[in-house]
Amino acid sequence: ASTLAPDEQLVALLGDWRILQRRAGHRWTTDDLVTAWCAVRAARDTRAPVGARSAQAGGTASTPSSDDQLSVLDLGCGNGAVLLMLAHSFPRARCVGVEARAEALALARRSIQHNAG
């Protein structure tokens, strides 16, 4: 586990997965949970193109025939909450997050490292 700064918390996200976030400022919310749920549901629905439906959820994904063929893109991933929830739901998927804010990206990377290791 990474060392926490005094203004950081490591909190429960999904299952035994945790996310790093600042004590003040953006924190993961039920909006993130609902977005991830919609994206997971769209990715599992083989009756409709996933890209069109998951775009509403803040990301895109290819139509998978198995989890290891699934690709997830989260544009503006922030601290990585939605990306981590999708990675938890599809452990063999290729998940990519893009974030312009260096501080949020650093938190996302550290959260990924915490859960991967």
Side-chain angles (χ1 to χ4, degrees), residues 14 17 35-46 50 54 60-73 82-96:
L14 186 63
W17 283 36
T35 298
W37 181 84
C38 289
V40 166
R41 186 171 177 198
R44 289 186 174 152
D45 184 358
T46 58
V50 174
S54 64
T60 61
S62 61
T63 303
S65 60
S66 68
D67 287 2
D68 58 347
Q69 295 177 348
L70 180 68
S71 294
V72 175
L73 174 61
V82 173
L83 191 64
L84 284 166
M85 286 186 257
L86 290 169
H88 183 273
S89 298
F90 301 107
R92 295 186 318 249
R94 180 170 190 261
C95 298
V96 176

